[in-house]
Amino acid sequence: MRNRKRTRVADLAVARWNPVRDVVLPGALAGTLGAFAMAVLACAFSGVLHGEPWRPALLVAGLFFRDGTAQGVGGVLLGLFIHFSMAGGLATGFALLLPRRGTAVAALCLGVLYGMGLWTVMTRLMIPFASPPLSREAPTSMLFLLHLAFGAALGTVPAARDVLTRLDRLRRQLQRLKATPA
């Protein structure tokens, strides 16, 4: 326990705050994980309920195909691209708001609350405006479960920060060894 605390103090002393290490990369990793969890669950629900597992991605592509005519591999890839990029941006925003010295439990709780807030904003404001096909066909209860999964994935931000901070500490130690004369 004492070693772990000492290592954490040393990790925090590496640098005061680095936006790439503390916000962008952990946010991108957590967003990718959350988007993947949402996509897998949405495809599973859609496959069981409607027999079309790729339907959620086609509905997200309704951002560009507003009349719901998105079809084929191109529509699925466009929907997945929109979904993953939006999730990465929102998770990076969460990582920016999350305190650097926060615990994993606090990040999990705040992530779930953030997911519920996103669900509220998305279902009431964003989805009806951005993707009318998704607004017409997606049940809000399923969207609520998907956003809870996304919020739970945001709880990985402190772990990603710890790993990246330790890698940064190791990189700095190697640079110091390289700079010392032999």
Side-chain angles (χ1 to χ4, degrees), residues 156-176:
T156 61
V157 169
R161 282 181 179 166
D162 287 344
V163 168
L164 292 169
T165 302
R166 288 179 184 182
L167 287 174
D168 193 31
R169 180 170 47 114
L170 181 63
R171 181 185 61 85
R172 288 173 187 262
Q173 288 173 350
L174 290 174
Q175 283 178 343
R176 273 189 260 136

Side-chain angles (χ1 to χ4, degrees):
M1 184 76 156
R2 184 174 268 175
N3 273 345
R4 186 174 172 184
K5 188 180 280 188
R6 193 175 316 136
T7 302
R8 184 153 171 86
V9 169
D11 288 343
L12 291 173
V14 169
R16 295 197 185 273
W17 188 71
N18 184 339
V20 174
R21 185 193 67 221
D22 294 332
V23 176
V24 175
L25 290 176
L29 292 171
T32 302
L33 179 65
F36 183 74
M38 285 180 81
V40 166
L41 287 173
C43 289
F45 288 150
S46 180
V48 168
L49 296 174
H50 303 290
E52 298 178 36
W54 298 112
R55 188 78 183 138
L58 293 172
L59 292 174
V60 171
L63 180 66
F64 294 107
F65 297 100
R66 301 187 67 76
D67 55 353
T69 59
Q71 293 180 356
V73 176
V76 170
L77 290 177
L78 178 63
L80 288 173
F81 176 76
I82 292 168
H83 176 68
F84 274 83
S85 59
M86 188 74 174
L90 290 170
T92 301
F94 176 77
L96 184 63
L97 296 173
L98 188 69
R100 184 171 176 217
R101 295 177 189 230
T103 63
V105 174
L108 178 65
C109 294
L110 290 172
V112 169
L113 287 173
Y114 189 78
M116 287 191 286
L118 285 177
W119 170 76
T120 304
V121 171
M122 289 291 190
T123 56
R124 303 288 184 238
L125 300 174
M126 296 298 294
I127 292 175
F129 171 73
S131 178
L134 182 60
S135 178
R136 285 189 300 268
E137 292 189 31
T140 56
S141 57
M142 185 176 80
L143 288 174
F144 182 71
L145 291 174
L146 296 176
H147 282 87
L148 284 180
F150 178 74
L154 294 178
T156 61
V157 169
R161 282 181 179 166
D162 287 344
V163 168
L164 292 169
T165 302
R166 288 179 184 182
L167 287 174
D168 193 31
R169 180 170 47 114
L170 181 63
R171 181 185 61 85
R172 288 173 187 262
Q173 288 173 350
L174 290 174
Q175 283 178 343
R176 273 189 260 136
L177 282 175
K178 188 176 173 183
T180 58

